[in-house]
Amino acid sequence: MYMSYPRWQQMLNCLMYMLMFLLFFCFRWKLNGTEILPKAGSHFSLSGGNLRISRLNRDRDAGTYQCLASNSFGTIVSREASLTFAYLESFKTQRRSPVSVREGQGMVLLCGPPPHSGDLVFSWIFNESTTFVQQETRRFISQETGNLYIAKVEPSDVGNYTCVVTNTVTKTRVQGPSTPLVLRKSELFPPFLFFISSPSPAPSITWRREDGAPFPRKVDTRKTNGVLEIPYFQQDDVGTYECVAENSRGMNKVKGKLSFYAPPHLIEKPQDVQKLIDDSLVWECKATGKPKPSYRWMKNGENLESTEERIQVANGVLSISRLTLSDTGMYQCVAGNKHGEVYSNAELRVIAAAPDFSHNQLRSQTMVKVGGDVLVECRPKMSPWGVISWRKGSEPLQQTARLHLSACDQAAYKITKCVSEASVITTQPSTLDATVGESVVLPCQVSHDPSLELKFTWFFNEQLIHFGSHDGFFEKHSAGDIMIRNIQLKHAGKYTCAVQTKVDSISVALDLIVRGPPAPPTQIHVEEITDTTASLSWRPGPDNHSPITAYTIQARTPFSLGWQAVTTGELSAVVIDLNPWVEYEFRVLASNRIGTGEPSKPSKQARTKSTSPKVTPANVSGGGGSRSELVITWEPVPEELQNGPGFGYVVAFRPHGATGWMQAAVPSPEASRYVFKNESIQPFSPFHVKVGVYNNEGEGPFGPVITIYSAEEEPGRAPTRVRARSLSAAEIEVSWKALPWNASKRRVLGYELRYWSKSEREDTASVQRTVGNQTSSVIRGLRGSTSYYISVRAYNTAGTGPPSSTVNVTTKKPPPSQPPDKVMWNTSNSKIIVNWEQVKALENESEVTGYKVLYKKNRHSRPSVMETNTTSVELALPTDEDYIIQIKPFGEGGDGSSITLPSKVKGNWKLQIRCLLLVIQSSPMP
């Protein structure tokens, strides 16, 4: 409670507090929780409250510092500040062994940075060059580990590599020992190599959000090193991101989830407060942050321990009842998570006050019934509590067997009493029952003095019922009755109707029984388990006043989607048709005539016994691969169908027409591919293939026999009669003579067009592919008035064949860049006549040969197109509809820039003539 003072006195008090603050403020510092005591000659010194540290030492001075400020009102502490030392030691000088790798493979060179503190930046030097290795599609430097990754190693990559580490704080830089990279021809992989994926050709890498949301402009998606950088990360950037790698052989993608974490931020702080002795205090402290912050309170710089029952701390709320003068002081709320802490300060001042009746006056009249009791309360406001006495008239009241004195002060009060007949509840106590989902009315009828007003109050299991809450189940019905709608099991219990008037109060109780589905069974145990069955036992739960008629058993495994009902033997608790060597949990549901109850708690996990496998791989196929290879692929058998440990695959194959089978064991259960390589395998030769399964319990069956072709050779001939002609400024049509479709088993699956401009290199050419025996294709999206070179190759699963001879063609001049100008139109009857000024092409543009007039009813309808070589057009349009009209010139270079009438044109019976300067639009018609 705040005391009321004149404004001048408040200002004077404020000045006094400020003066006391300045005169008596003192500062202390702690290091790692221990107070610092500066002495003469010490490297610690205080200057105006600031801590100065001279002759810094990493081992002695590193740690967490905290400032404590004290004056006559109390003590507060600052947030913690961490002092760390950045450093970077040198690499060990020992030499590193050469790393050998086959051409075309991927590998990683380890950096292994030396001991350090502070953020590091990693780079690599190649062959003692003065420039660093640049990241691109084949090279990537991890700024987490410093490792250098190279995909698809080429001969030009051979040489010495040196890792360079820079400390961003100290700006110091150290170089590691060089690592030689050499090419080898051995088939054995040395044990110290780390291999990374090296697809051929090198894939293009793109990023996208799983929810389809576009990247904000701050994200640079043009980078080619496979790294997505999101500057100024915000809450909106949270989500799942996909990295998509794609080349002509296919596509692969991987997902990663980004989460947002934030240090605490206070949104509700305690405020300075002045209270009376014996008052109560509630201070609430709220903060946002991720993870959710935790809270603690401090008083005068020390953690507040709630050793007294009157002091409670919970979830950022500090409450103190029956305040005393010793509670005065400086309090701090500290909200923190693993990303930091925030402090909030507030002062509590506890004062005394004289008795005051202004807030709690005695009632001037009290009504009672004959023979009843009456209580007259006297509650003055005073701090601390004082002596209280009563008077009747001018005579002091003395306590007797019938009169008990408990309150009042100096003044005398006159009390007038009125007498009334007692109230009686006419509804007899009873027991009601209902079924879950029904509605029931609980009655409470009263006979009473009509001059008195009745107040009805209902209690459920001695707890007050608040109508409008309780999820809307309870409603007032009529008079004192209430209704419970859509009754649930939780509504069973004792209900009490309490009736109160000015002179008396009465009550009546009734019991409500709710019948419903049974409660969950308990103590579920797996008594015995085999490879496909499990015997269960359990105890029934309460039947909720309706006998149990049946039980349902459900099971869950690490491979199932939630709980599944399982098959049991007739009139038994034996579960059958389980999968061998799988961990199961079971639960039981009981049913009665009303319905099925909630499930029991799950049993402990139990694994079925193992047996030989019964399921073979699905989708066995293959083909492709390198020369002299037979590639066989399949879908791995799910773990829940492997039936035991030691699971693997048996791959059997034979050339078409042979009788004996060749077999190979693939011991990995996750394997999905086997490659048989032999120089005697002819290209694109058919093989019979079947894939079987086995585990430690024995062999399983083989799947069906299918036919798979060995790897083929790339086409050996180049297309001939390659021709190219320009269709427009942006299109070129290319044609060629097709190769024989299946010559010498070198199939042709299609053709690959490579094209590049005169200012570009051939190795940067763009690629466009056709499918099937197509002999022409149109290349689009080109630049006008540009010379292009084009070659054509055949391709199949083995790759591309030799290129055709290169042809050269120049695209036509760009279309007119200026839209029609000075557009005029008028409407009459059901016609619209539009006129415009002739468009003149620039010197570097193709000549205008005509105009296209597009018109449609609305933005989403398909436009109608009219072509003309004049500068006017007459459109026959209905008079009662709106139209959007667009005009664009065209020439041999294509369609030029368009112009759209700025608003809808509506036909009417009045002559309208307009001449407008229209806005240029280069985009297609909306």
Side-chain angles (χ1 to χ4, degrees):
M1 174 179 176
Y2 286 99
M3 301 300 292
S4 177
Y5 296 103
R7 183 171 181 81
W8 64 269
Q9 189 172 352
Q10 293 179 11
M11 294 177 63
L12 180 59
N13 291 342
C14 181
L15 290 173
M16 291 176 62
Y17 293 150
M18 292 178 63
L19 181 59
M20 292 173 64
F21 178 87
L22 294 174
L23 290 176
F24 303 108
F25 219 173
C26 65
F27 299 92
R28 293 174 291 146
W29 283 85
K30 287 185 178 181
L31 170 57
N32 296 331
T34 302
E35 187 170 345
I36 299 172
L37 301 174
K39 299 178 182 178
S42 169
H43 68 296
F44 289 120
S45 62
L46 289 176
S47 176
N50 298 327
L51 178 65
R52 183 183 298 275
I53 310 174
S54 58
R55 305 186 302 278
L56 282 168
N57 180 279
R58 186 173 81 190
D59 297 327
R60 178 187 63 195
D61 299 323
T64 301
Y65 289 79
Q66 200 167 23
C67 174
L68 293 84
S70 303
N71 64 9
S72 59
F73 297 110
T75 301
I76 59 173
V77 299
S78 70
R79 66 179 182 180
E80 294 180 342
S82 179
L83 175 61
T84 58
F85 291 80
Y87 64 91
L88 176 62
E89 297 183 6
S90 298
F91 279 88
K92 295 181 180 179
T93 56
Q94 65 184 32
R95 291 177 54 82
R96 294 191 176 181
S97 303
V99 174
S100 61
V101 63
R102 287 183 297 159
E103 181 180 350
Q105 287 184 333
M107 50 77 62
V108 59
L109 295 175
L110 305 182
C111 178
H116 64 276
S117 176
D119 293 337
L120 301 182
V121 173
F122 298 94
S123 52
W124 284 78
I125 295 176
F126 178 52
N127 284 341
E128 300 181 357
S129 171
T130 57
T131 59
F132 293 114
V133 173
Q134 299 298 313
Q135 296 193 109
E136 33 86 11
T137 55
R138 288 195 310 112
R139 293 181 178 86
F140 168 69
I141 300 174
S142 170
Q143 292 303 319
E144 294 292 330
T145 63
N147 297 339
L148 170 63
Y149 297 82
I150 304 178
K152 195 182 178 187
V153 171
E154 299 176 353
S156 61
D157 296 322
V158 172
N160 293 320
Y161 289 83
T162 303
C163 180
V164 180
V165 182
T166 303
N167 191 306
T168 61
V169 181
T170 64
K171 307 302 181 184
T172 54
R173 175 182 295 177
V174 294
Q175 291 188 9
S178 62
T179 303
L181 175 64
V182 297
L183 289 180
R184 63 183 178 85
K185 297 183 180 179
S186 171
E187 293 296 324
L188 297 177
F189 288 20
F192 54 81
L193 281 183
F194 292 78
F195 286 88
I196 62 173
S197 174
S198 54
S200 178
S204 63
I205 296 176
T206 57
W207 288 87
R208 65 190 180 199
R209 287 183 59 137
E210 186 181 48
D211 57 9
F215 287 127
R217 295 182 62 183
K218 66 179 179 179
V219 178
D220 185 359
T221 59
R222 297 172 296 176
K223 293 199 172 185
T224 59
N225 58 8
V227 177
L228 176 66
E229 294 184 6
I230 305 177
Y232 316 114
F233 188 79
Q234 301 293 328
Q235 182 70 44
D236 293 342
D237 298 318
V238 168
T240 300
Y241 291 77
E242 284 186 341
C243 172
V244 182
E246 186 173 12
N247 63 10
S248 56
R249 298 292 183 90
M251 180 183 70
N252 200 355
K253 58 185 178 181
V254 66
K255 296 181 180 180
K257 186 176 181 180
L258 282 179
S259 300
F260 184 83
Y261 298 98
H265 174 71
L266 286 169
I267 58 175
E268 188 168 334
K269 307 176 184 178
Q271 302 296 321
D272 294 345
V273 67
Q274 183 172 282
K275 289 280 189 176
L276 293 175
I277 296 174
D278 289 332
D279 272 358
S280 295
L281 168 74
V282 176
W283 263 332
E284 187 168 5
C285 181
K286 286 186 180 179
T288 60
K290 192 170 182 181
K292 186 178 180 180
S294 60
Y295 302 90
R296 60 188 174 92
W297 284 83
M298 306 178 73
K299 177 186 178 184
N300 292 331
E302 301 294 335
N303 284 329
L304 183 62
E305 304 292 343
S306 56
T307 56
E308 300 181 57
E309 185 177 341
R310 67 189 187 88
I311 301 176
Q312 299 293 327
V313 176
N315 297 325
V317 178
L318 169 64
S319 60
I320 306 176
S321 60
R322 303 186 307 280
L323 287 168
T324 67
L325 292 175
S326 63
D327 294 320
T328 296
M330 296 298 300
Y331 290 77
Q332 290 179 283
C333 169
V334 185
N337 61 18
K338 64 181 181 179
H339 301 291
E341 289 185 333
V342 288
Y343 289 70
S344 177
N345 312 325
E347 179 190 0
L348 169 62
R349 304 183 70 191
V350 181
I351 62 174
D356 180 12
F357 277 96
S358 60
H359 296 283
N360 294 289
Q361 297 284 359
L362 263 66
R363 296 174 58 183
S364 61
Q365 186 180 61
T366 301
M367 180 177 289
V368 298
K369 68 177 181 179
V370 175
D373 297 331
V374 61
L375 172 67
V376 184
E377 290 185 327
C378 178
R379 293 180 298 167
K381 189 71 174 180
M382 54 182 171
S383 178
W385 195 254
V387 178
I388 298 174
S389 60
W390 277 91
R391 295 178 185 176
K392 181 178 180 182
S394 60
E395 297 295 325
L397 286 178
Q398 300 298 323
Q399 185 159 314
T400 65
R402 196 174 61 84
L403 180 65
H404 178 71
L405 303 181
S406 61
C408 208
D409 195 27
Q410 317 283 328
Y413 293 85
K414 179 180 179 181
I415 301 175
T416 303
K417 298 182 176 59
C418 301
V419 180
S420 174
E421 294 297 326
S423 301
V424 178
I425 295 179
T426 58
T427 303
Q428 295 300 316
S430 63
T431 299
L432 298 177
D433 67 22
T435 301
V436 167
E438 293 180 347
S439 297
V440 63
V441 174
L442 307 183
C444 185
Q445 301 297 319
V446 181
S447 171
H448 66 289
D449 188 328
S451 65
L452 297 178
E453 183 179 351
L454 294 178
K455 179 182 178 182
F456 291 90
T457 306
W458 280 88
F459 298 86
F460 172 43
N461 291 336
E462 300 183 356
Q463 296 296 317
L464 177 65
I465 296 176
H466 296 280
F467 295 95
S469 59
H470 298 280
D471 298 324
F473 288 104
F474 295 97
E475 297 179 5
K476 292 183 179 179
H477 191 247
S478 60
D481 302 347
I482 65 169
M483 173 180 283
I484 308 176
R485 294 189 180 274
N486 188 24
I487 201 166
Q488 303 296 312
L489 289 172
K490 63 183 180 181
H491 296 137
K494 178 181 179 181
Y495 288 83
T496 303
C497 174
V499 185
Q500 186 176 9
T501 67
K502 288 183 178 181
V503 299
D504 61 0
S505 61
I506 51 178
S507 64
V508 65
L510 59 86
D511 292 319
L512 176 62
I513 297 174
V514 180
R515 306 182 190 277
T522 61
Q523 301 182 28
I524 312 301
H525 294 290
V526 179
E527 304 289 347
E528 183 180 356
I529 192 163
T530 69
D531 58 342
T532 60
T533 66
S535 299
L536 307 181
S537 66
W538 62 85
R539 289 184 178 274
D543 63 6
N544 290 329
H545 310 289
S546 180
I548 296 173
T549 58
Y551 290 96
T552 302
I553 301 176
Q554 295 178 336
R556 178 174 67 181
T557 74
F559 317 105
S560 63
L561 296 175
W563 292 92
Q564 310 288 333
V566 291
T567 307
T568 61
E570 184 177 357
L571 299 177
S572 73
V574 178
V575 181
I576 61 176
D577 295 334
L578 303 178
N579 289 328
W581 203 59
V582 172
E583 288 185 335
Y584 279 89
E585 294 176 282
F586 299 95
R587 69 182 188 182
V588 183
L589 299 84
S591 302
N592 57 20
R593 67 176 183 83
I594 299 173
T596 299
E598 294 295 318
S600 67
K601 292 182 178 180
S603 67
K604 292 183 179 180
Q605 285 188 336
R607 183 185 287 274
T608 51
K609 298 186 181 332
S610 59
T611 185
S612 59
K614 302 296 188 294
V615 176
T616 58
N619 295 330
V620 178
S621 61
S626 302
R627 185 174 302 176
S628 301
E629 286 184 347
L630 174 65
V631 179
I632 303 168
T633 62
W634 60 87
E635 287 187 9
V637 173
E639 184 178 348
E640 66 267 29
L641 301 178
Q642 294 174 6
N643 288 10
F647 182 84
Y649 304 92
V650 179
V651 182
F653 52 93
R654 66 186 179 189
H656 200 278
T659 56
W661 292 89
M662 293 179 283
Q663 292 189 0
V666 182
S668 172
E670 294 85 15
S672 61
R673 174 186 175 94
Y674 174 75
V675 179
F676 174 65
K677 186 175 181 67
N678 193 296
E679 298 298 332
S680 64
I681 298 179
Q682 295 299 312
F684 208 63
S685 300
F687 280 76
H688 286 158
V689 176
K690 60 182 180 180
V691 182
V693 290
Y694 70 91
N695 63 18
N696 290 348
E697 299 293 332
E699 294 186 3
F702 276 96
V705 177
I706 66 167
T707 299
I708 296 175
Y709 286 83
S710 62
E712 59 187 335
E713 293 181 343
E714 63 272 9
R717 296 165 57 187
T720 58
R721 299 183 187 176
V722 178
R723 303 286 186 272
R725 67 187 184 96
S726 175
L727 300 180
S728 67
E731 298 175 329
I732 293 176
E733 182 183 49
V734 184
S735 62
W736 59 89
K737 182 180 179 181
L739 295 178
W741 186 247
N742 198 356
S744 301
K745 297 186 178 179
R746 299 190 180 197
R747 296 185 304 165
V748 175
L749 297 183
Y751 295 89
E752 181 179 278
L753 283 67
R754 299 192 178 188
Y755 58 96
W756 63 98
S757 67
K758 189 175 182 180
S759 61
E760 297 172 333
R761 301 195 314 271
E762 183 177 356
D763 58 0
T764 63
S766 301
V767 177
Q768 179 171 304
R769 280 194 167 189
T770 67
V771 178
N773 207 18
Q774 187 175 333
T775 58
S776 67
S777 183
V778 176
I779 301 174
R780 296 180 170 84
L782 305 176
R783 300 190 299 272
S785 299
T786 303
S787 181
Y788 284 91
Y789 296 94
I790 305 166
S791 66
V792 184
R793 307 169 189 237
Y795 73 88
N796 57 22
T797 59
T800 56
S804 69
S805 57
T806 301
V807 296
N808 173 259
V809 64
T810 300
T811 53
K812 299 183 183 300
K813 290 183 178 181
S817 59
Q818 299 298 319
D821 195 8
K822 297 183 179 179
V823 180
M824 300 170 52
W825 75 86
N826 66 74
T827 60
S828 178
N829 297 333
S830 60
K831 296 179 181 179
I832 297 178
I833 302 172
V834 185
N835 297 275
W836 60 90
E837 193 175 81
Q838 173 72 35
V839 175
K840 294 182 180 180
L842 302 179
E843 184 177 349
N844 62 341
E845 298 175 346
S846 57
E847 292 296 327
V848 176
T849 59
Y851 300 88
K852 292 181 180 179
V853 180
L854 298 84
Y855 56 97
K856 59 182 180 179
K857 291 183 179 180
N858 54 61
R859 183 174 297 275
H860 303 291
S861 62
R862 194 184 186 104
S864 300
V865 181
M866 175 184 291
E867 292 189 7
T868 179
N869 55 6
T870 67
T871 59
S872 66
V873 70
E874 183 178 287
L875 304 175
L877 302 176
T879 60
D880 55 349
E881 295 185 7
D882 293 340
Y883 279 86
I884 300 173
I885 301 175
Q886 188 182 68
I887 308 166
K888 64 174 71 174
F890 67 87
E892 66 174 7
D895 291 348
S897 298
S898 64
I899 191 168
T900 303
L901 273 61
S903 59
K904 294 180 179 180
V905 178
K906 183 172 183 179
N908 53 52
W909 297 107
K910 297 180 180 180
L911 180 64
Q912 295 183 351
I913 300 178
R914 291 188 179 182
C915 179
L916 298 175
L917 188 60
L918 302 179
V919 178
I920 297 175
Q921 280 195 350
S922 300
S923 58
M925 186 172 184

